[in-house]
Each structure stands twice: as structure tokens, then as C-alpha cells.
Amino acid sequence: MITQLIERGGDLSERAQVCVIGSGGGGAVVAAEIASAGHDVVVLEQGHYWTKANFTQREDQMLPRLFEEAGMRQTSDGAIQILQGRNIGGSTVHNLCYSFRTPDPILAMWREEHALPDLTPEALRPSFERVEKNLKVKQILEQQVNALNRRIRAGAEKLGYSGLVTKHNREGCIESGYCILGCSYDAKQSMLVTYVPRADAAGARIYANARSDRIEIGPGRTKTVTGSVVDQSGRAMGRVTVEAPIVVLAAGAINSPDLWLRSGLPNPHGEVGRNLHLHPSAMVAGFFDEPIDAYRGIPQSYYVDEFIDLDRDPRSGYVLMPIAGFPVLTAASLPGFGREHARQMRDFAKLGGLLVLLHDRSAGRVEPGSSPGRPKITYTLEPDDRRLLAEGLLHSSEVLFAGGAERCLVPFTPDALVLRSGDDLNTITKRGVREGEIVLNSTHPQSTLRMGGDPKRSVVGAFGESHEVPGLFVADMSVFPTSLGAPPQITTAALADRTAHHVLDRWTELAG
Ligand SMILES: Cc1cc2nc3c(=O)[nH]c(=O)nc-3n(C[C@H](O)[C@H](O)[C@H](O)COP(=O)(O)OP(=O)(O)OC[C@H]3O[C@@H](n4cnc5c(N)ncnc54)[C@H](O)[C@@H]3O)c2cc1C
Ligand code: SF4
């Protein structure tokens, strides 16, 4: 059953065999797999239970309703905006459905450098297969590639750059283009319409508006999760208490370490909250000679992978991804102010973006902030990443021009660099990117409760279980040992599936 606690009213007090915190890309998978095996699962989700009927396709309503900190989450210096979902289904309700397995060279690095010898493609295959089947992952069809993606592909091909039309997890997509604001047609195969209903049908008790604020250990195997019934603004309306021998933390890579540290859980080597990778991205805006209505159709279907070679260097590189925003998100991503900014926005229908997404070496940190769920996030781009970002901005402009753009806006602040077709693009790399000078976004925070075989360099072991607290698991993007360098939803779900099946294999020991 899915219960909206603010509508029901009162406090929540429960006992279960498993308590899962967070219902997104990792949590929903664990809840569904364990509940489907006949076990007693409670899910606590801080956000509301919104369904397709609530997705109005309006940014002014959806951004504050569906996103963490009303869409305003940022690093503490304000340099990077971080978008994460805050609702049943988590960020999968907003994601753009690129579906990639974990790249083999990344798995090899995790095996060799993070003491995870069993993390082979073969060992993960059953998890990938289950996840891809449940999320209905399939190839995007040629006729589903929209005008912007076609132009980007034409540009990349003209320049001889490698790229591909990707796989996605959509079924019956009518190509409305509103994916980020939630799919009004239940076509996007997010956790909301896949694993959450599976968990529900298998008897899991799923509570929306239930924010977990603390995890306490003991006595014995018992763990007590306490928290608050919260409304949309995070205001506490009642108390939450759940006792369970198995707790699975899946609150995302910002909130999970925040909750861990706030709870005073063991952190003997200071690893909790460190190693934050953001896959930071910056958008070059291309203005074409005619309206392309880039926001219509499947937003991202093409993917330029020319500038990432994980076999050669699994630690760095960048990819280019088409992006079209709605007016508010676009306005926030475009640099500049006042009249000049308004002038750019008047050409909205001619505008199509190309994101540079960094496979970042830079590592930041999450620490508890002034209140639960509002952690302090610090992150600075290292010089090598800044150099790659400048190079990526050059190549994004190059691809946009080759695809037919007449003018490109490179997002330097306060004054954007405006380039016209035929201009010398080396201006970008000559100028370079100084700290805080480029408008950056992140939709993939990761690695803050790293998985690894060495307890001095990681927080959880090979199956997501805490090195220090038996029966406490992590199953979200926090567990990635390094930056992934690829879209993360399938890796997140597959590792969560692996954790769930490991829990089932050790059921009597863990829950008995
Ligand atoms: C705009 C956008 C586009 C993206 N596009 C893609 C894409 O195309 N392809 C791809 O592979 N990936 C994409 N992603 C990333 C993908 O969605 C994530 O990999 C995945 O959702 C991560 O799962 P998670 O469990 O770590 O976190 P989430 O899915 O964010 O789930 C965490 C959940 O925990 C809840 N929570 C947090 N704190 C608490 C608490 N204290 N108590 C209770 N509940 C709590 C949150 O409300 C949330 O529902 C995108 C993400 C975004 C935001
Ligand atoms: S493009 Fe497809 S998946 Fe995205 S919101 Fe529209 S119908 Fe849903």
C-alpha cells in the first residue's frame, strides 16, 4: 500500500524486516526484489506520491513540487546547481532515459583499484538483465530522433566524431518532450511505474512524506529509523519511527551521507561524504537559422562519445549530450542579464543546447548543514577538469556550428562569449575556464559512501553493506567507487538489485 502521510495525518510507528529509506533509482529496486520474495518491507520516502495526473507540464508548478530544495539545491558557493528528485520514484521520475550498462573499463578499475574482484560484467549480467527487462530498455528508433538530436548528429558526422543513437526506457512514448517534469502518459519507465508498483503489489508498505532524520543502532541487530512526517516545504507534521534488523539507505548521494553523519554512524576513516563526484555539465546554446522547437520529441537520443576513451583513460574525459530546456530552466542556464538575456530568450524556438558532461576527477564533499536535508556541499573543479571543460565547450560549439547553428553562446559569466559561424573557436581554450566562471549543473551526484574491499578507503563492502554495521546497506549512487563516466541509472539499479539478492541469500543470518 502507498500511503500519503500528510493526508492520513498522525505519527507513523512500524516494525518490519527491512526498512528502505528512499524510493528512487536504488531504493525502489531493493524494496521490490525483497518484497517479491515474500518479506516484510517498509519504504520511507520524504517526497509526495505524485502520479501522471499531477504532472501538469508546467515548470512553475513542477520544479518546486518535484525537486529537492524546490529545484534550488546548489553547492555552497552557488557555482553548481544540483537537480535531484524528491518524490516517490526519486530522480528517475525526471530523468531523460539514456540507458547504459556500466562501462567495462570502469568495472575493471573498480575491481583492480578498489578491491572489488567479483565486480565483473559476467557477475553483474543477471542484475543488468533483470533491470533492463523491468525498465523495458530498448533501442531508440530512427524515427524517434527529434530535430535537435538530428542536427547534432549531422554536425558530429560531418566532423567525423563518434556518436550513437542510444537505448532508453520508454514504452508507448508520444514524444511530448516533457520528461524532466514527469511523464503525463506513464510512458517513461521510471521507478514510479515499474518497481514501485511491483513493491506495492508484493505487499511493501510505502510511506510518502516520511523523512528519515536518524538511524540508531541496537540493541542486538535492531536498528531504529526515526524521522518526521513532512509537508512539501519540509515542515515537520508528525513523527516517524520504524524498527527493523535490516536498513537500506537509498536517499541519493547527497542525502545519504548527510543522514549517515547526522546519525553519528561509524566513520572511522573519515570517508563518509567525501569523494563526491558530480558529472558537472555546461551547456553551449546554439541558435539555428529556423525554429527547431528542440523541446518537442524525445529530448536526448543521440550521444557524442568521441572525447571519452575509457579503455585508454578510465578516469577522465567528457561526453556531449543534446539538451533542450523549458523556458525557466533555459533562462537559468543561459548566462547574462537584463536586455541581452531577454533578447536571447526571444529566439527560444531556434535554440538547441549541447551539454559537455565531465567524467570528473575532481572530488567534493557533503557535510551536515543547518537542518536535515539541507547539507553543505563543497566541490571545486581541478585544473585538469577545467582544461577538459574548456576543450568540451570548444567541441560543443564546433558540433553545433557543423549542425547548422548560426551563433553559439558559451556560458561564461557574467558575460557570455558569443561566437558566430566561422569565428576562431580556439578563443575558448585560449581563454580557459577560471574557477566559478562557467554556469554548471549536475544531475548525477555520486560516490559519497563508496563501495570497496578496503575499509580504510571505502564505507561499504562489495554488496553495499556497511563495513562497520552488519545489516546496514547502501543502495544508491553513493556507492560508486569513482565517477562513472556514463549515464548512471542502470548501474544504480543493477547494483541495488545485486544488493537485494545478496540480502535474500543471507536472509536467515540478517533478518532471523
Ligand atoms: C534531470 C535528470 C536527468 C537524468 N537523466 C538520466 C539519464 O538520461 N540516464 C541515466 O542513466 N540517468 C539519468 N539521471 C540520473 C538517474 O535518475 C539517477 O541515476 C537515479 O535516479 C539515482 O538513483 P538514487 O537512488 O541514487 O537517487 P534518487 O533516484 O534521487 O532517489 C533518492 C530518493 O530518496 C529520497 N530521500 C532523500 N532523502 C530522504 C530522507 N531523509 N528520507 C526519506 N527519503 C529521502 C528522495 O526524495 C528520492 O526520492 C538523471 C537525473 C536527473 C535529475
Ligand atoms: S517524451 Fe515520452 S517519456 Fe518523455 S514525457 Fe513525453 S511521452 Fe513521456
Side-chain angles (χ1 to χ4, degrees):
M1 186 155 68
I2 304 179
T3 307
Q4 315 248 38
L5 286 175
I6 48 168
E7 283 171 14
R8 190 195 76 173
D11 297 337
L12 174 73
S13 181
E14 281 275 13
R15 271 171 202 270
Q17 289 170 305
V18 180
C19 175
V20 181
I21 302 169
S23 66
V29 175
V30 173
E33 292 297 322
I34 297 181
S36 299
H39 301 302
D40 181 27
V41 177
V42 161
V43 179
L44 301 178
E45 165 56 52
Q46 64 171 356
H48 206 66
Y49 175 42
W50 304 108
T51 65
K52 64 176 180 178
N54 306 108
F55 300 143
T56 61
Q57 306 186 337
R58 286 188 49 167
E59 280 177 287
D60 56 334
Q61 294 170 350
M62 292 297 107
L63 286 175
R65 187 178 282 180
L66 299 177
F67 286 95
E68 192 60 82
E69 299 185 37
M72 302 303 285
R73 177 167 269 183
Q74 294 178 330
T75 49
S76 49
D77 60 1
I80 309 181
Q81 187 197 15
I82 301 173
L83 272 184
Q84 287 181 289
R86 183 188 195 279
N87 41 257
I88 294 278
S91 304
T92 69
V93 170
H94 319 290
N95 78 25
L96 290 168
C97 300
Y98 274 142
S99 298
F100 286 67
R101 288 191 183 185
T102 320
D104 284 356
I106 295 290
L107 283 179
M109 177 167 68
W110 291 356
R111 287 196 300 277
E112 287 154 23
E113 296 179 15
H114 294 269
L116 295 165
D118 298 332
L119 224 51
T120 61
E122 296 70 39
L124 279 170
R125 183 168 300 123
S127 295
F128 283 132
E129 286 175 357
R130 268 193 293 271
V131 161
E132 287 168 347
K133 183 163 176 259
N134 286 317
L135 297 183
K136 304 198 173 106
V137 172
K138 58 177 81 64
Q139 180 60 40
I140 296 178
L141 301 175
E142 187 56 37
Q143 63 269 26
Q144 293 175 309
V145 178
N146 81 348
L148 171 64
N149 283 260
R150 278 203 306 276
R151 295 225 178 196
I152 301 291
R153 178 167 63 179
E157 286 174 353
K158 198 160 155 188
L159 295 162
Y161 292 157
S162 160
L164 66 153
V165 176
T166 68
K167 293 184 176 175
H168 67 162
N169 54 320
R170 294 180 178 89
E171 175 91 341
C173 170
I174 65 152
E175 300 169 32
S176 70
Y178 285 96
C179 305
I180 288 185
L181 303 183
C183 179
S184 313
Y185 314 96
D186 278 353
K188 184 201 291 188
Q189 298 299 294
S190 69
M191 294 298 154
L192 182 65
V193 302
T194 56
Y195 280 92
V196 169
R198 270 190 66 210
D200 181 23
R205 283 158 286 149
I206 302 168
Y207 293 100
N209 324 116
R211 189 183 67 209
S212 164
D213 294 334
R214 195 174 171 81
I215 303 168
E216 285 165 31
I217 309 302
R221 271 187 284 220
T222 312
K223 294 159 193 75
T224 308
V225 179
T226 54
S228 312
V229 175
V230 286
D231 69 6
Q232 195 56 34
S233 65
R235 192 161 45 118
M237 319 276 282
R239 289 214 307 250
V240 170
T241 312
V242 180
E243 285 187 3
I246 302 169
V247 169
V248 182
L249 184 50
I254 303 290
N255 288 18
S256 284
D258 179 40
L259 184 50
W260 188 294
L261 291 167
R262 280 186 173 277
S263 303
L265 292 170
N267 183 19
H269 304 288
E271 281 287 297
V272 174
R274 290 185 55 215
N275 311 304
L276 169 71
H277 296 294
L278 287 176
H279 276 183
S281 64
M283 180 187 84
V284 176
F287 291 88
F288 292 86
D289 51 352
E290 57 180 359
I292 56 166
D293 298 330
Y295 48 89
R296 291 202 201 288
I298 289 180
Q300 292 179 332
S301 49
Y302 193 68
Y303 184 88
V304 181
D305 61 359
E306 173 74 20
F307 308 103
I308 193 159
D309 181 352
L310 296 172
D311 285 313
R312 192 178 52 76
D313 178 4
R315 285 178 195 77
S316 69
Y318 56 90
V319 296
L320 306 182
M321 313 191 316
I323 187 77
F326 309 104
V328 175
L329 277 177
T330 304
S333 306
L334 285 180
F337 298 98
R339 250 186 225 142
E340 180 50 27
H341 189 266
R343 204 173 64 76
Q344 310 290 358
M345 285 303 291
R346 247 177 250 127
D347 278 339
F348 181 62
K350 296 182 180 173
L351 181 130
L354 190 54
L355 287 176
V356 184
L357 181 135
L358 285 178
H359 174 30
D360 48 338
R361 283 173 190 267
S362 311
R365 186 168 199 151
V366 176
E367 295 165 276
S370 53
S371 54
R374 302 237 159 177
K376 183 176 163 211
I377 307 166
T378 43
Y379 181 96
T380 309
L381 274 187
E382 287 179 3
D384 275 352
D385 279 343
R386 275 192 268 136
R387 187 182 51 72
L388 280 182
L389 179 59
E391 195 189 300
L393 293 169
L394 180 155
H395 288 301
S396 285
S397 312
E398 188 188 27
V399 170
L400 283 163
F401 282 128
E406 294 183 319
R407 152 173 127 253
C408 281
L409 221 66
V410 188
F412 285 97
T413 52
D415 297 314
L417 178 63
V418 182
L419 295 168
R420 300 202 175 263
S421 181
D423 283 354
D424 179 10
L425 302 185
N426 291 312
T427 319
I428 302 171
T429 38
K430 277 188 203 138
R431 172 179 175 158
V433 172
R434 286 186 293 274
E435 205 185 315
E437 201 186 22
I438 288 281
V439 179
L440 289 171
N441 289 284
S442 167
T443 52
H444 301 168
Q446 55 196 286
S447 306
T448 46
L449 295 163
R450 291 201 292 195
M451 180 183 278
D454 177 358
K456 291 201 183 88
R457 295 179 53 228
S458 57
V459 181
V460 298
F463 292 96
E465 187 173 19
S466 159
H467 289 304
E468 310 289 332
V469 184
L472 173 63
F473 289 82
V474 181
D476 59 23
M477 275 171 71
S478 315
V479 302
F480 295 0
T482 64
S483 166
L484 182 67
Q489 66 164 342
I490 301 298
T491 300
T492 309
L495 291 176
D497 172 277
R498 187 166 175 268
T499 292
H501 285 271
H502 173 79
V503 169
L504 293 174
D505 291 345
R506 285 176 53 209
W507 186 255
T508 314
E509 174 204 341
L510 289 166

